[in-house]
Amino acid sequence: MLKEKLKNTCSFAAALEDKDETGYPRAELFYVRAYHDGSHWWNTVFHIHKDLMVPALVEEVDEVYVAFQKAFPDVKAVRDYIDHHTERTDDPTEGHAYLEMELGLYCLRMIARKGDYNLYLHVLSKAALKGGGPG
């Protein structure tokens, strides 16, 4: 279950802050921006460092996103999770959660405002952090 794996503290904050000339973290492969329309999740993927893309990591990301959709079937579920489990921000409708998997590090910015995007899922490559390149 995804919710049991999410943390409300970030063990990879330095990797998130280590940005290059793109303005994004050096190890960030891409981020997913998603919203729930009342019945379905919709998303768009924004590639940052395509050279970090390897099939196994993309497969892992797909699994994480599918697990997110199952764990959070609507914005109310996102709101409830923000209220009780995330790293809080100055905005009571937002929170952050973090996930470490075999190949990737994930920062989930969760937002429970109506008419806004409800998830920004940032994906960092562990291999890139180790200096091993894409995979």
Side-chain angles (χ1 to χ4, degrees):
M1 297 290 290
L2 179 69
K3 287 183 182 178
E4 288 79 26
K5 294 178 182 178
L6 293 175
K7 306 289 183 208
N8 65 2
T9 56
C10 184
S11 63
F12 51 92
L16 290 171
E17 294 168 12
D18 181 22
K19 298 179 180 179
D20 62 14
E21 66 281 349
T22 66
Y24 290 95
R26 293 178 192 283
E28 187 165 3
L29 174 62
F30 56 77
Y31 68 92
V32 177
R33 183 177 72 185
Y35 69 95
H36 196 276
D37 69 0
S39 59
H40 295 92
W41 281 100
W42 300 94
N43 70 71
T44 305
V45 176
F46 296 87
H47 295 278
I48 308 299
H49 296 101
K50 281 186 148 185
D51 57 314
L52 300 178
M53 193 175 306
V54 294
L57 178 54
V58 173
E59 185 176 315
E60 185 181 272
V61 173
D62 288 343
E63 291 170 8
V64 168
Y65 185 69
V66 167
F68 174 86
Q69 292 176 85
K70 288 178 183 174
F72 299 95
D74 53 34
V75 177
K76 182 187 179 316
V78 171
R79 182 179 303 110
D80 291 345
Y81 195 81
I82 290 170
D83 288 345
H84 302 289
H85 302 287
T86 63
E87 176 184 63
R88 300 308 302 262
T89 70
D90 292 337
D91 184 332
T93 64
E94 289 188 30
H96 293 97
Y98 306 95
L99 177 65
E100 293 190 45
M101 298 290 285
E102 182 181 348
L103 302 173
L105 301 170
Y106 302 84
C107 174
L108 294 82
R109 177 180 171 217
M110 302 169 78
I111 303 164
R113 288 187 297 271
K114 185 175 172 90
D116 203 341
Y117 292 100
N118 306 118
L119 173 69
Y120 287 84
L121 175 63
H122 294 271
V123 180
L124 281 69
S125 164
K126 282 184 170 181
L129 291 172
K130 295 175 185 171

